[in-house]
Amino acid sequence: MNARIEMEHDEVLRVELEVLKREHRDLDEAIHALTEAVHSDQLRLVRLKKQKLALKDKIARIEDQLTPDIIA
């Protein structure tokens, strides 16, 4: 039973990971588009970059949870 719950938890994390990665890519594209614009909103650009970094941190935490600990 515990193995099944853990497996379901891992599946939820994998789905969440894919959603976060997609959001990260979308933010990357938005940042790129803003930097290419002639009159880009610098405040918005900074906020998007902060969001992107926060997503990267969330992605790293989930990947750490999904990676089994290896005792060296």
Side-chain angles (χ1 to χ4, degrees):
M1 179 80 169
N2 282 343
R4 182 175 176 222
I5 292 172
E6 186 175 323
M7 199 166 141
E8 289 174 3
H9 178 70
D10 286 354
E11 288 301 314
V12 169
L13 286 177
R14 282 187 181 91
V15 170
E16 186 177 354
L17 183 62
E18 288 306 312
V19 170
L20 291 174
K21 284 182 176 182
R22 189 174 314 119
E23 287 178 25
H24 189 268
R25 279 191 304 272
D26 291 346
L27 277 174
D28 195 39
E29 291 173 9
I31 289 167
H32 180 71
L34 263 178
T35 57
E36 295 291 315
V38 174
H39 300 290
S40 62
D41 182 354
Q42 292 302 311
L43 182 59
R44 183 164 186 218
L45 190 60
V46 169
R47 287 180 178 161
L48 289 175
K49 286 181 177 183
K50 284 183 179 180
Q51 278 183 299
K52 185 178 168 189
L53 283 173
L55 281 174
K56 187 176 179 181
D57 290 342
K58 286 181 184 178
I59 290 168
R61 281 194 300 273
I62 291 175
E63 287 176 336
D64 286 347
Q65 288 179 13
L66 289 172
T67 305
D69 291 335
I70 298 173
I71 300 172

